[in-house]
Amino acid sequence: MTTSTIPVAGVDPYDVLVGRGILSELANALGANVRKVLIVHPPTLGARAERLRSLLSEHVEAILAEVPDAEAGKRVEVAAFCWQVMGQSDFTRTDAVIGFGGGAVTDLAGFVAATWLRGVRLIQVPTTVLGMVDAAIGGKTGINTAEGKNLVGSFYAPSAVVVDLDVLEGISPMETLAGFGEVVKYGFIAEPEILDIIERDVATATNPESDEFRRLVELSIGIKARVVGADFREAGEREFLNYGHTLGHAVEFAERYQWRHGAAVSVGMMFAAELARLTGRLSDDIVDRHRSILTSLQLPVTYPAGRWNTLLSVMRRDKKARGDLLRFIVLDALARPTVLNGPDESLLFAAYQEIGS
Ligand code: GLY
């Protein structure tokens, strides 16, 4: 099957390329002027990063920067290590950074590219489902501080995103299913065909080698591309992508980041669905559809009762809260998201009781 090209509009437009065995297209995506590239990758992808380095070496000088995986890599010391490698290798403004890894690695690589010499070319090559459908697209880059996640960063558009489904070979089924938290999110906020495909045959839909899987990834990227193309800096519609994330982020914090992001978002979407039902927006059918689809993907739909006060205080600190008011994305109907601003606390507690285990 051929490579699909999904354009992302905006001040700095770029393409997302999707296909199988397409890492060789990276050299073209780099552009003619690039002489050096820094490939930022986690230890688990060392052998693959080396293959990528040798592939690119026919065209450019490629240098590897191995960084800690997951949140441990999103630290200023790790960014400083990358800057040091670039400085010692005489990286200029026309050179490039490649983010080769999951969402944490592409966030870090994006931040390094955005800050080196006030910005060099960035190519994102996500290697997880979550990275492919969400983190690597849209230009959110950043690192964490001791005070919280993603507190330092910038919006910085990549020059291209290369989604090679073959890099998912060997990925654990649990990792794939966790990535589906975001895929389901797109289904509810924008594209019901996603839900239909998963409901038709969940095993085929989640098999990275199937055409259905590719279709789901392409549909998800299409939605993300459209939304971030219209609202790069999250002044409006982009906030809808946070469906399930207000409570989801609080769950991640309460679980000391031991839960996968998609699992926390799954509980968060269930909560948002119950909230919408309690405010008279959503029918029982659509709330039940959330529960059955997420359960079919082995994602959690309940959370232990008795932890409400912790979650509420974390949500209050959520950087997406404006002033004192909590904001939730809820659905008016399937594919009709809206903002629920400052809901009554008793309503929130009632929704929490609906998902209590
Ligand atoms: N992950 C949500 C966004 O990129 O806006």
Side-chain angles (χ1 to χ4, degrees):
M1 215 195 253
T2 51
T3 304
S4 313
T5 301
I6 303 174
V8 183
V11 178
D12 295 311
Y14 57 98
D15 288 335
V16 183
L17 307 177
V18 186
R20 297 188 188 278
I22 61 167
L23 287 187
S24 53
E25 299 194 19
L26 254 173
N28 292 337
L30 279 175
N33 294 329
V34 172
R35 297 276 173 270
K36 292 179 185 153
V37 294
L38 184 77
I39 303 172
V40 181
H41 71 91
T44 44
L45 292 176
R48 287 179 186 215
E50 177 50 39
R51 282 205 292 281
L52 189 57
R53 194 192 67 72
S54 107
L55 184 77
L56 291 174
S57 291
E58 290 172 23
H59 310 272
V60 291
E61 182 186 343
I63 298 159
L64 297 181
E66 182 178 294
V67 297
D69 207 354
E71 297 302 312
K74 288 179 62 173
R75 287 180 295 125
V76 70
E77 294 83 357
V78 181
F81 160 71
C82 295
W83 292 324
Q84 185 183 28
V85 174
M86 295 167 91
Q88 291 176 350
S89 310
D90 298 322
F91 263 64
T92 67
R93 193 168 276 161
T94 52
D95 294 325
V97 173
I98 294 177
F100 184 57
V105 168
T106 54
D107 277 8
L108 168 76
F111 180 68
V112 168
T115 46
W116 183 255
L117 296 176
R118 300 191 180 89
V120 294
R121 276 176 89 78
L122 167 68
I123 314 282
Q124 298 287 32
V125 186
T127 60
T128 60
V129 178
L130 178 70
M132 290 176 176
V133 300
D134 186 19
I137 302 161
K140 279 189 181 175
T141 78
I143 54 174
N144 306 328
T145 77
E147 287 71 34
K149 280 184 76 173
N150 296 325
L151 292 180
V152 178
S154 67
F155 287 99
Y156 188 72
S159 303
V161 181
V162 178
V163 173
D164 184 345
L165 298 172
D166 280 357
V167 303
L168 295 174
E169 191 191 316
I171 191 176
S172 81
M174 287 317 287
E175 187 77 47
T176 305
L177 293 174
F180 265 68
E182 298 288 346
V183 175
V184 171
K185 175 193 80 178
Y186 293 123
F188 279 110
I189 65 168
E191 183 48 86
E193 184 189 340
I194 288 176
L195 308 177
D196 297 338
I197 293 173
I198 297 171
E199 284 171 330
R200 211 171 295 136
D201 182 349
V202 72
T204 305
T206 55
N207 175 358
E209 290 175 13
S210 73
D211 291 344
E212 288 79 356
F213 182 93
R214 177 171 175 161
R215 174 86 182 139
L216 289 173
V217 168
E218 289 181 353
L219 284 171
S220 299
I221 292 173
I223 297 158
K224 177 109 194 208
R226 183 182 58 71
V227 172
V228 302
D231 179 23
F232 184 50
R233 289 182 178 272
E234 200 169 311
E237 189 187 0
R238 186 164 184 168
E239 198 182 354
F240 295 153
L241 300 180
N242 294 328
Y243 186 51
H245 284 59
T246 309
L247 189 88
H249 284 149
V251 167
E252 283 186 288
F253 183 89
E255 297 295 334
R256 298 176 203 280
Y257 297 102
Q258 298 307 301
W259 274 39
R260 290 177 195 277
H261 178 68
V265 169
S266 174
V267 170
M269 285 192 282
M270 211 53 243
F271 176 79
E274 292 290 1
L275 201 51
R277 188 174 62 81
L278 290 170
T279 52
R281 291 175 161 83
L282 272 194
S283 64
D284 290 351
D285 288 0
I286 298 180
V287 179
D288 290 344
R289 200 169 180 197
H290 279 73
R291 191 169 285 111
S292 68
I293 290 179
L294 293 168
T295 305
S296 76
L297 291 161
Q298 298 172 49
L299 290 167
V301 289
T302 61
Y303 196 68
R307 299 208 190 149
W308 177 240
N309 287 341
T310 307
L311 296 181
L312 187 60
S313 63
V314 179
M315 284 193 291
R316 287 202 186 291
R317 278 201 341 241
D318 191 304
K319 65 181 164 34
K320 287 173 193 76
R322 312 278 158 94
D324 281 328
L325 296 182
L326 283 175
R327 291 163 69 83
F328 292 85
I329 307 304
V330 294
L331 301 180
D332 273 335
L334 204 52
R336 279 196 29 223
T338 187
V339 176
L340 182 63
N341 216 351
D344 201 81
E345 254 181 52
S346 58
L347 194 62
L348 295 176
F349 185 59
Y352 180 66
Q353 285 182 308
E354 294 294 333
I355 63 158
S357 59

Short mmCIF file of all heavy atoms in Angstrom, two decimals, residues 134-135 137-140 155 182 185-186 224 227-228 232 234 238-239 241-242 245 261 320, ligand 1:
data_model
loop_
_atom_site.label_atom_id
_atom_site.label_comp_id
_atom_site.label_asym_id
_atom_site.label_seq_id
_atom_site.Cartn_x
_atom_site.Cartn_y
_atom_site.Cartn_z
N ASP A 134 -1.29 11.31 18.44
CA ASP A 134 -1.47 12.50 19.26
C ASP A 134 -0.17 13.29 19.48
O ASP A 134 0.05 14.34 18.86
CB ASP A 134 -2.08 12.10 20.61
CG ASP A 134 -2.42 13.29 21.47
OD1 ASP A 134 -2.54 14.41 20.94
OD2 ASP A 134 -2.58 13.13 22.70
N ALA A 135 0.73 12.73 20.32
CA ALA A 135 1.83 13.56 20.84
C ALA A 135 2.74 14.16 19.77
O ALA A 135 3.20 15.30 19.92
CB ALA A 135 2.66 12.74 21.84
N ILE A 137 2.13 15.09 16.79
CA ILE A 137 1.48 15.99 15.83
C ILE A 137 0.94 17.21 16.57
O ILE A 137 0.31 17.06 17.63
CB ILE A 137 0.32 15.27 15.11
CG1 ILE A 137 0.85 14.05 14.41
CG2 ILE A 137 -0.40 16.19 14.14
CD1 ILE A 137 -0.21 13.04 14.08
N GLY A 138 1.17 18.37 16.04
CA GLY A 138 0.54 19.55 16.64
C GLY A 138 1.49 20.50 17.32
O GLY A 138 1.09 21.57 17.75
N GLY A 139 2.77 20.11 17.44
CA GLY A 139 3.76 21.08 17.87
C GLY A 139 3.79 21.42 19.34
O GLY A 139 4.42 22.40 19.73
N LYS A 140 3.16 20.61 20.20
CA LYS A 140 3.34 20.87 21.64
C LYS A 140 4.66 20.23 22.04
O LYS A 140 4.85 19.03 21.86
CB LYS A 140 2.20 20.26 22.45
CG LYS A 140 0.94 21.11 22.48
CD LYS A 140 -0.07 20.58 23.48
CE LYS A 140 -1.33 21.44 23.48
NZ LYS A 140 -2.39 20.89 24.35
N PHE A 155 5.03 26.01 21.68
CA PHE A 155 4.37 25.47 20.50
C PHE A 155 5.38 25.62 19.37
O PHE A 155 5.83 26.73 19.07
CB PHE A 155 3.11 26.28 20.15
CG PHE A 155 1.96 26.04 21.10
CD1 PHE A 155 1.69 26.93 22.13
CD2 PHE A 155 1.14 24.93 20.95
CE1 PHE A 155 0.61 26.72 22.99
CE2 PHE A 155 0.06 24.72 21.80
CZ PHE A 155 -0.19 25.61 22.83
N GLU A 182 -6.74 7.39 23.21
CA GLU A 182 -6.83 8.63 22.40
C GLU A 182 -7.62 8.37 21.11
O GLU A 182 -8.33 9.25 20.62
CB GLU A 182 -5.45 9.17 22.07
CG GLU A 182 -4.61 9.57 23.27
CD GLU A 182 -5.08 10.84 23.98
OE1 GLU A 182 -5.90 11.60 23.43
OE2 GLU A 182 -4.61 11.05 25.11
N LYS A 185 -11.14 8.57 21.90
CA LYS A 185 -11.47 9.99 22.13
C LYS A 185 -11.85 10.67 20.82
O LYS A 185 -12.88 11.36 20.74
CB LYS A 185 -10.26 10.69 22.76
CG LYS A 185 -10.43 12.18 22.94
CD LYS A 185 -9.11 12.86 23.27
CE LYS A 185 -8.27 13.10 22.03
NZ LYS A 185 -7.01 13.81 22.31
N TYR A 186 -11.05 10.46 19.77
CA TYR A 186 -11.37 11.07 18.47
C TYR A 186 -12.72 10.55 17.97
O TYR A 186 -13.48 11.28 17.34
CB TYR A 186 -10.30 10.75 17.44
CG TYR A 186 -8.95 11.38 17.71
CD1 TYR A 186 -7.80 10.61 17.84
CD2 TYR A 186 -8.81 12.76 17.82
CE1 TYR A 186 -6.56 11.18 18.08
CE2 TYR A 186 -7.57 13.34 18.05
CZ TYR A 186 -6.45 12.55 18.18
OH TYR A 186 -5.23 13.12 18.41
N LYS A 224 -6.74 15.18 14.28
CA LYS A 224 -5.76 16.02 15.00
C LYS A 224 -5.20 17.08 14.05
O LYS A 224 -5.05 18.25 14.43
CB LYS A 224 -4.63 15.13 15.55
CG LYS A 224 -3.55 15.93 16.22
CD LYS A 224 -3.50 15.80 17.71
CE LYS A 224 -2.62 16.87 18.34
NZ LYS A 224 -2.02 16.48 19.59
N VAL A 227 -7.72 19.90 13.51
CA VAL A 227 -7.93 20.74 14.70
C VAL A 227 -6.71 21.64 14.96
O VAL A 227 -6.85 22.85 15.15
CB VAL A 227 -8.26 19.87 15.94
CG1 VAL A 227 -8.28 20.72 17.20
CG2 VAL A 227 -9.59 19.16 15.75
N VAL A 228 -5.51 21.04 14.93
CA VAL A 228 -4.34 21.88 15.24
C VAL A 228 -4.01 22.83 14.09
O VAL A 228 -3.42 23.88 14.30
CB VAL A 228 -3.09 21.05 15.65
CG1 VAL A 228 -3.38 20.18 16.85
CG2 VAL A 228 -2.57 20.21 14.49
N PHE A 232 -3.71 26.29 16.36
CA PHE A 232 -2.39 25.80 16.79
C PHE A 232 -2.14 26.06 18.27
O PHE A 232 -1.67 25.21 19.01
CB PHE A 232 -1.31 26.48 15.93
CG PHE A 232 0.09 26.01 16.18
CD1 PHE A 232 0.40 24.65 16.18
CD2 PHE A 232 1.12 26.92 16.37
CE1 PHE A 232 1.70 24.20 16.40
CE2 PHE A 232 2.43 26.48 16.58
CZ PHE A 232 2.71 25.13 16.60
N GLU A 234 -4.16 26.55 20.81
CA GLU A 234 -5.23 26.15 21.75
C GLU A 234 -6.00 27.35 22.29
O GLU A 234 -6.16 27.53 23.49
CB GLU A 234 -4.64 25.32 22.90
CG GLU A 234 -5.69 24.49 23.62
CD GLU A 234 -5.09 23.46 24.59
OE1 GLU A 234 -4.19 22.73 24.20
OE2 GLU A 234 -5.57 23.43 25.73
N ARG A 238 -9.00 23.48 19.76
CA ARG A 238 -8.00 22.48 20.20
C ARG A 238 -8.28 21.96 21.60
O ARG A 238 -7.91 20.84 21.95
CB ARG A 238 -6.58 23.07 20.11
CG ARG A 238 -5.51 22.04 20.41
CD ARG A 238 -4.13 22.48 19.97
NE ARG A 238 -3.16 21.42 20.20
CZ ARG A 238 -1.93 21.41 19.73
NH1 ARG A 238 -1.49 22.41 19.00
NH2 ARG A 238 -1.11 20.40 19.98
N GLU A 239 -8.96 22.79 22.40
CA GLU A 239 -9.26 22.36 23.76
C GLU A 239 -10.15 21.11 23.77
O GLU A 239 -10.13 20.33 24.74
CB GLU A 239 -9.93 23.51 24.53
CG GLU A 239 -9.86 23.31 26.03
CD GLU A 239 -10.55 24.40 26.82
OE1 GLU A 239 -11.02 25.40 26.22
OE2 GLU A 239 -10.65 24.24 28.04
N LEU A 241 -9.66 18.53 22.25
CA LEU A 241 -8.80 17.33 22.29
C LEU A 241 -8.52 16.91 23.74
O LEU A 241 -7.95 15.85 23.98
CB LEU A 241 -7.47 17.60 21.57
CG LEU A 241 -7.56 17.97 20.09
CD1 LEU A 241 -6.17 18.21 19.52
CD2 LEU A 241 -8.26 16.87 19.30
N ASN A 242 -8.90 17.75 24.69
CA ASN A 242 -8.70 17.40 26.10
C ASN A 242 -9.86 16.62 26.68
O ASN A 242 -9.97 16.47 27.89
CB ASN A 242 -8.46 18.68 26.93
CG ASN A 242 -7.16 19.35 26.55
OD1 ASN A 242 -6.20 18.68 26.17
ND2 ASN A 242 -7.12 20.67 26.63
N HIS A 245 -9.43 14.46 29.71
CA HIS A 245 -8.10 14.74 30.25
C HIS A 245 -8.11 15.49 31.58
O HIS A 245 -7.13 15.43 32.32
CB HIS A 245 -7.26 15.51 29.23
CG HIS A 245 -6.73 14.64 28.11
ND1 HIS A 245 -7.56 13.93 27.28
CD2 HIS A 245 -5.46 14.35 27.73
CE1 HIS A 245 -6.82 13.26 26.40
NE2 HIS A 245 -5.55 13.50 26.65
N HIS A 261 -1.16 6.68 30.27
CA HIS A 261 -1.96 7.87 29.97
C HIS A 261 -3.34 7.48 29.41
O HIS A 261 -4.37 8.01 29.85
CB HIS A 261 -1.19 8.74 28.97
CG HIS A 261 -1.92 9.98 28.54
ND1 HIS A 261 -2.15 11.03 29.40
CD2 HIS A 261 -2.46 10.32 27.35
CE1 HIS A 261 -2.81 11.97 28.74
NE2 HIS A 261 -3.01 11.56 27.50
N LYS A 320 -5.25 23.84 32.95
CA LYS A 320 -6.30 24.21 32.02
C LYS A 320 -7.47 24.91 32.73
O LYS A 320 -8.38 25.41 32.09
CB LYS A 320 -6.79 22.99 31.26
CG LYS A 320 -5.77 22.56 30.25
CD LYS A 320 -6.09 21.27 29.58
CE LYS A 320 -4.88 20.77 28.85
NZ LYS A 320 -3.87 20.20 29.74
N1 GLY B 1 -2.76 16.31 23.21
C1 GLY B 1 -3.65 17.37 23.00
C2 GLY B 1 -3.11 18.43 22.09
O1 GLY B 1 -2.14 18.20 21.40
O2 GLY B 1 -3.63 19.51 22.07
#
